[in-house]
Amino acid sequence: MKRISSLLPTLLIAAATCSAQATGEIRGRVFDQTGSPVPMAHVVAIQHDRTHGVVTDLEGRFVIKPLPTGLFTVRVSHVGFQTRSFTGVEVTGDRASLMRDIRLGFATTVDTFEVSGFRRPLIEADNPTRMSLLADDFARDPNKRDPIQFIGKSFVGVTASLTGDGLHFRGSRTENMVSFIDGVKVSGGVPRVPPSAISSVSVYTGGLPARYGDVTGGVVAIETKSYQEVFEAERTRRQRLAEAAWEDEEDGL
């Protein structure tokens, strides 16, 4: 009993942190080749070994939520239609990733499958004052270990202060900005989170969500990777090292 009671505060803190993390969603609409909506189509968002699925309504619309930040593969299928799969669908916190109208061709064989790539628009029509980058966007950036320089270079309307210890948002000073890690407010400017632990970085220069409170400057929202994302990244890294070693060995032969 004593051991269980000693673990209770830790479990409560972990639960509060998980509930504070910002989640996103994927929205879209499914049509057939004639332009008619396809109801009851199965739409599945896949991230690693986790699957989130819904079916389209009578007008072919679908919403998949809540989703953690990161990259997803979206697969759309229906009996009698060609199955379509979209790779690299990006999900960031506090927003909807809008997919263009999806058109399903009529299936001519039993195993008909089409894979397409997803490209995020440079400017989001529903909120142009919010910009986001995922882990893959800044993995190879030389400034990623200095979050102030990285954010000042990567986001419009944000510049690093002359002293290099803070950020200015459209003329406001460092003391007017706030930072959040997994939904938890962090004081003292931009937090220095290890780049390998970051899933996404979002910067708000205006139109702030109510959850971030009354801020006169800007907001930096950092979402960290889940245990599954860290595991998959490490497995991918080891796989690449093994492939490189195998290629070197073949070249030596």
Side-chain angles (χ1 to χ4, degrees):
M1 178 64 70
K2 184 177 180 180
R3 183 176 181 181
I4 294 177
S5 61
S6 65
L7 290 175
L8 185 58
T10 303
L11 295 176
L12 291 175
I13 293 174
T17 302
C18 291
S19 62
Q21 286 186 315
T23 57
E25 59 187 63
I26 298 176
R27 294 174 174 264
R29 199 173 181 188
V30 182
F31 297 88
D32 62 19
Q33 289 180 329
T34 65
S36 299
V38 179
M40 302 304 293
H42 293 270
V43 186
V44 178
I46 304 169
Q47 185 185 58
H48 308 310
D49 61 347
R50 293 176 295 180
T51 301
H52 311 261
V54 296
V55 295
T56 57
D57 60 16
L58 295 178
E59 296 182 346
R61 293 187 173 90
F62 68 88
V63 180
I64 308 177
K65 66 176 183 180
L67 295 174
T69 60
L71 296 176
F72 285 80
T73 296
V74 176
R75 185 171 300 165
V76 184
S77 62
H78 194 288
V79 176
F81 289 92
Q82 181 183 31
T83 298
R84 295 198 63 182
S85 182
F86 300 85
T87 60
V89 180
E90 301 174 353
V91 173
T92 56
D94 290 330
R95 75 170 298 106
S97 297
L98 302 177
M99 300 186 66
R100 293 182 178 179
D101 291 343
I102 300 172
R103 294 188 178 273
L104 299 182
F106 297 108
T108 56
T109 62
V110 176
D111 299 321
T112 306
F113 199 87
E114 180 182 348
V115 178
S116 304
F118 175 82
R119 297 190 64 180
R120 180 181 57 180
L122 296 178
I123 299 177
E124 300 289 348
D126 60 336
N127 191 359
T129 60
R130 179 188 187 276
M131 297 159 283
S132 299
L133 291 177
L134 295 179
D136 290 346
D137 295 325
F138 57 84
R140 292 180 293 273
D141 193 286
N143 292 319
K144 64 177 179 292
R145 297 191 179 278
D146 186 342
I148 294 176
Q149 296 299 324
F150 170 74
I151 294 174
K153 185 194 74 170
S154 303
F155 297 96
V156 179
V158 184
T159 57
S161 62
L162 295 178
T163 58
D165 59 355
L167 294 170
H168 295 168
F169 287 76
R170 300 186 183 276
S172 65
R173 294 297 176 254
T174 302
E175 58 269 19
N176 298 323
M177 65 156 289
V178 295
S179 300
F180 290 82
I181 299 179
D182 293 335
V184 180
K185 186 176 181 179
V186 179
S187 59
V190 181
R192 297 185 179 275
V193 180
S196 59
I198 296 177
S199 177
S200 70
V201 176
S202 297
V203 170
Y204 296 82
T205 58
L208 302 177
R211 72 194 302 264
Y212 294 130
D214 185 14
V215 181
T216 57
V219 168
V220 176
I222 298 174
E223 298 295 328
T224 59
K225 292 180 179 178
S226 64
Y227 291 117
Q228 183 66 30
E229 287 181 285
V230 174
F231 175 78
E232 290 293 337
E234 179 63 18
R235 185 170 67 174
T236 301
R237 186 185 70 84
R238 292 187 178 185
Q239 182 178 358
R240 290 175 178 173
L241 290 176
E243 291 175 352
W246 176 259
E247 290 178 358
D248 293 340
E249 184 177 347
E250 286 188 334
D251 292 340
L253 295 177

